[in-house]
Amino acid sequence: MARLLRSLLFSPRTPLHFRPTPPSSLQLTPSTLALIPWSCALSSGHPSCSSRDLTSSPRASYATRPILPRRRAALRRKQERRTRKPELDVSICIEEELPDDPQIKSIAETLRKDVPDAMKVAFESLKDPKYQTRDKSIKNVNKFLKIQLSLLLCDDAFIRKLNKEWRDEDSATDVLSWSQHIPGLGIPILLLGDIVISVETAARQAEERGHTLLDEIRILMVHGLLHLLGFDHEISCEAEKEMEIEEERVLSSLGWRGKGLIQSAYDSLQDEDNFSDLSQDIKKATTVKDNKPKLSHILFDIDDKLLDNDGQMLLKSVGTFKEVISREAKIIIITEKSRAAITRAVEIVNLEEYISVSLSPGIFLHGAVVYGMQGREIYRENLDQDICREAFFYSLEHEIPLVAFSIDQCLSLFEHSFLESLHNRHYEPKTKILPSILDLPEDSSIQKLSFLRTAGNSSTLQTHLSEITKGRARIVESHPDVLEVIPLNASKSNGVKILLDHLGINTDEFEIAENWKWLGDRAALR
């Protein structure tokens, strides 16, 4: 060690020059070295200190290297990171096509303070255990040195282009958000994301809801911010309720006027405490029609819009029906489910008086079955009978639950909780248990096969289905835990073409509906 020390102290290269300044009466020992202040500087020549400045103990010589101060500095920096709040880097921009309006400029200036304030309040709930559905990839914002977020104010034309490009929805909307956060990246900057708000849509909503444009933009900003922090009202009813609660908390904490975006949508349909009378609210509802064309039919893709991934009702989608009733238009339902399932779902929210599913045009079972005027069947494509039999043999051999859909009937070979889930959570008819494979319908009237997919069977199930369906049927993944087999030519888009031709509607009259809330893939027909 002494030899190593001397080689370091007297190296002809430019070394770090350590200058110990201990009191003359202090004995240098490992226990006292930590009490000595050390300083270091780059020396242009040879170091002025020599081995005579140090104790002859090899351990003491090793201890004279400034390791402990570096450790103390590291601990100090770590402690500072724990107590220091991250810098909030917020950019507020105005899209160039917006008019040069002093009110918009004033709102943009106000948002420079409002957005950081909302971020601070929203960060308080990131560790709240009551929010079970929030994506928790962002947990502790204090570990970041800086948090970046941008907000753009634009017009309807600009946000419509974004909505079409990113969500395949050719319509204007009120607010969009994009997360830029990549979990596990390990950089000291949290790229929270971008929020885009249409001032034109916000102005209309502000007038409808009786508050100022600034109030409405604040509400939309909070909604977009919560999306960036992992809240998502579209995945389930529980998630919708949790996001609604957090919206109200943030707005009330800051003393801002108005209700959250989710609650505002509810209020447009019903009184807060009177959901049981929802159908009566819709019946009495009126809408301004002066600038809206009269429509004959509305195409409504119901999957994940009226029903979430768990098959539960997204109640705010009922607002779509309110709009349809006000326009005296007929709904055309498009869904992966059976007609019996949608009939049952509509009954749950007491809308059967206004929507007769069995007597209306519709596209069901991924487009394998299409109903025309008066609910009469105009198209059906069945699966090959050999595919159905092979699938049921595989189901029995590997004990994988399988349900066959034959128009409005569900068939299987053995009981399983999967069958109950289809009925209780997804509203499908109760499954009929067949005695054997020989009892399958002989007329090949099966339009869909649904397999329960688990972590244990996913890979082998996918491989086997690919082999038996090659060139004769398609495999679709409608839900994370379900693999479905449908006819080769069955699709929602093909069903739409068949139905439009049946109704005598020219595709030139096909128009995308705009500015509708809670309506996913939607279109209006003049």
Side-chain angles (χ1 to χ4, degrees), residues 28-78:
L28 287 176
T29 67
S31 61
T32 59
L33 283 171
L35 302 176
I36 302 174
W38 288 80
S39 62
C40 65
L42 281 173
S43 172
S44 58
H46 293 289
S48 60
C49 65
S50 69
S51 59
R52 290 192 300 272
D53 297 320
L54 309 175
T55 177
S56 59
S57 166
R59 179 175 297 178
S61 299
Y62 182 76
T64 58
R65 299 169 64 186
I67 295 176
L68 292 177
R70 287 203 302 270
R71 288 179 178 173
R72 286 199 301 272
L75 290 172
R76 184 169 60 253
R77 288 193 298 271
K78 187 175 181 180

Side-chain angles (χ1 to χ4, degrees), residues 367-439:
V369 182
V370 180
Y371 298 95
M373 298 300 294
Q374 302 302 315
R376 292 191 295 266
E377 182 181 312
I378 61 171
Y379 174 83
R380 183 202 303 182
E381 185 174 2
N382 298 322
L383 285 167
D384 187 288
Q385 192 170 24
D386 291 338
I387 292 177
C388 297
R389 291 186 182 278
E390 178 62 29
F392 271 106
F393 276 122
Y394 187 82
S395 168
L396 278 178
E397 181 182 356
H398 298 275
E399 298 182 349
I400 300 175
L402 167 62
V403 175
F405 289 78
S406 179
I407 306 298
D408 288 335
Q409 189 178 29
C410 294
L411 308 171
S412 189
L413 293 177
F414 54 85
E415 296 284 358
H416 192 275
S417 58
F418 176 53
L419 280 57
E420 292 298 318
S421 176
L422 285 177
H423 178 68
N424 296 329
R425 299 180 65 84
H426 297 273
Y427 310 106
E428 296 291 358
K430 286 190 175 182
T431 303
K432 177 182 178 181
I433 305 299
L434 300 177
S436 71
I437 295 178
L438 298 177
D439 294 289

